[in-house]
Amino acid sequence: MDPEVREGLARSWKTLMGIGIAAIVLGCIAILVPEVAAVGTAIFIGWILLVVGAFLVAAAFSAHSIGTVVWRLLWAALTVIVGVWLIVEPHNGTLTLTLVLGIYFLLMGISRIAVAFMGRGQPNAGLVGLSGVCGLLIGILVLAKFPSSADWAIGLLVGIDLIFAGWTLTSVALVGKELSRGSARSA
């Protein structure tokens, strides 16, 4: 392991552990109250789109032709409008996000299954296929239960993702803790 990475992990393991535990707790809350997590996610994405829209406006003026500037400004305006809409109407935003999420999982599942089929016999092709089947099933479940799936799908998936992220961070923090013990012994 790179010495700078070792030193950084040894120094910051407590912070990583705290963030990891917080992510796990928030993930559990999101799973227990998925409607709240879904609305919170819609608002969060709305703010991200507002920031991205501001950057798109700034980038629009770097274009060389007036037509490109206009198209970029229209794209920026659409991004800002969607961001504001998600912030002002987060419940309606969760409906749209859920529909997009269901379609995404459906198409991603189909494409992963196709990739796994084409890669038969290759290492991990079965795992790619299993991932595709899972994605396809999630997409079908979300879309089959739409619009009622908007009440739980986003919050549940965000909760699961937060738990996995927290688990990863706490695992990395434990490595950092061991590294800090090793550097304390050698000092």
Side-chain angles (χ1 to χ4, degrees):
M1 186 183 300
D2 183 21
E4 285 183 41
V5 172
R6 293 174 68 91
E7 184 181 322
L9 280 175
R11 267 195 330 263
S12 62
W13 75 268
K14 291 178 184 176
T15 303
L16 291 171
M17 183 65 76
I19 294 169
I21 291 170
I24 291 170
V25 169
L26 288 172
C28 290
I29 292 169
I31 289 172
L32 292 173
V33 193
E35 302 88 0
V36 174
V39 170
T41 301
I43 292 169
F44 178 71
I45 292 172
W47 280 105
I48 289 174
L49 289 174
L50 280 179
V51 171
V52 168
F55 280 105
L56 289 173
V57 168
F61 294 106
S62 67
H64 298 292
S65 72
I66 191 69
T68 305
V69 170
V70 169
W71 279 112
R72 287 183 179 183
L73 286 174
L74 288 172
W75 185 255
L78 178 63
T79 303
V80 168
I81 290 168
V82 171
V84 168
W85 179 68
L86 286 172
I87 292 167
V88 174
E89 291 287 338
H91 181 69
N92 289 331
T94 61
L95 289 171
T96 306
L97 290 174
T98 302
L99 182 62
V100 170
L101 182 73
I103 293 169
Y104 168 80
F105 272 102
L106 190 72
L107 295 177
M108 188 54 63
I110 291 169
S111 55
R112 285 182 182 162
I113 291 168
V115 166
F117 185 75
M118 290 186 299
R120 285 186 320 259
Q122 299 296 318
N124 298 321
L127 290 175
V128 173
L130 178 61
S131 169
V133 168
C134 290
L136 182 65
L137 291 174
I138 290 170
I140 290 170
L141 179 63
V142 168
L143 293 173
K145 298 292 184 180
F146 189 79
S148 68
S149 59
D151 291 337
W152 56 266
I154 293 174
L156 180 65
L157 294 171
V158 166
I160 291 168
D161 188 56
L162 281 169
I163 289 172
F164 283 143
W167 187 354
T168 302
L169 285 170
T170 55
S171 298
V172 171
L174 290 173
V175 170
K177 182 179 180 181
E178 286 301 312
L179 291 173
S180 72
R181 286 183 181 167
S183 43
R185 285 186 210 131
S186 64

